Amino acid sequence: MSRTFSRWLRDPENRLDIVAGMVDGILNALTLASGSFLKAGHAITLTLALRVGAAAALTTLFVFFVAHYAQERTALVGIERELNLRGGSHLAATALGRKALVNSALGAALAAICGLAGSVAPLLLAMILPGPPWMGLIATLTMLALLGVALARAFHGSRIIWGTALFLGGGALAYVGLKLGLVQ
């Protein structure tokens, strides 16, 4: 793992956005494209990878913006209470409110970029891997497991537990995606 990524990952301001974006992106790829990994006659294409990536990025952008902004506004309300300001939204109308909006947008953008990368990378890898399509599924699950190992290393957790948990969780969601048949 590069030092820059490790430093970004350890920064509490970025950690949730990076980790959740990457994991969510990979899980979106597994869930939405599992039929292309496992069903005969279905192939992973660049168009599929871009469609899954766009869906992952846009949903992540929206969810993380709402979550960040709700958290930032809640913090402003808490400050208003501490300062005994009557009524609501006093600080939201100031530069602090605008900063909360910008911080929310930046956090959401980081999560969306990581979600896009997390969803497109395994699908592109599956496109270029020789052999049967299910090899792409194994490669994607391995990417998820390696992310778990990297997280365990960064947070001093058990590499075996984190890697195995993410591998098995990804496998379970691929199975659900296969049964639902979401993207063909």
Side-chain angles (χ1 to χ4, degrees):
M1 177 169 36
S2 75
R3 287 189 174 134
T4 302
F5 182 72
S6 181
R7 192 171 356 107
W8 270 40
L9 191 59
R10 290 175 196 250
D11 182 353
E13 295 293 321
N14 299 327
R15 184 180 307 141
L16 178 66
D17 300 325
I18 293 170
V19 172
M22 289 294 291
V23 171
D24 184 56
I26 295 171
L27 293 177
N28 268 302
L30 284 168
T31 305
L32 295 174
S34 60
S36 297
F37 284 123
L38 298 172
K39 287 185 179 177
H42 297 278
I44 295 174
T45 63
L46 181 59
T47 303
L48 175 65
L50 294 176
R51 286 185 357 210
V52 169
L58 291 173
T59 57
T60 300
L61 182 71
F62 182 74
V63 168
F64 272 76
F65 177 77
V66 170
H68 277 295
Y69 195 57
Q71 185 175 359
E72 294 277 342
R73 289 293 297 259
T74 300
L76 290 176
V77 168
I79 293 169
E80 288 174 355
R81 284 192 188 125
E82 289 291 322
L83 295 174
N84 290 323
L85 297 175
R86 300 280 179 214
S89 301
H90 292 293
L91 294 179
T94 67
L96 288 174
R98 289 185 294 282
K99 184 173 187 217
L101 189 66
V102 169
N103 286 346
S104 300
L106 291 174
L110 177 59
I113 290 167
C114 290
L116 177 67
S119 61
V120 171
L123 296 176
L124 293 178
L125 177 64
M127 281 176 47
I128 63 170
L129 277 176
W134 57 264
M135 289 297 291
L137 174 64
I138 298 300
T140 303
L141 291 172
T142 301
M143 285 179 70
L144 195 56
L146 289 174
L147 181 59
V149 169
L151 289 171
R153 184 174 176 206
F155 309 136
H156 306 290
S158 169
R159 295 174 188 162
I160 292 172
I161 290 173
W162 276 83
T164 303
L166 268 64
F167 186 91
L168 293 175
L173 284 176
Y175 178 77
V176 168
L178 182 65
K179 290 298 178 186
L180 293 175
L182 298 174
V183 175
Q184 302 297 328

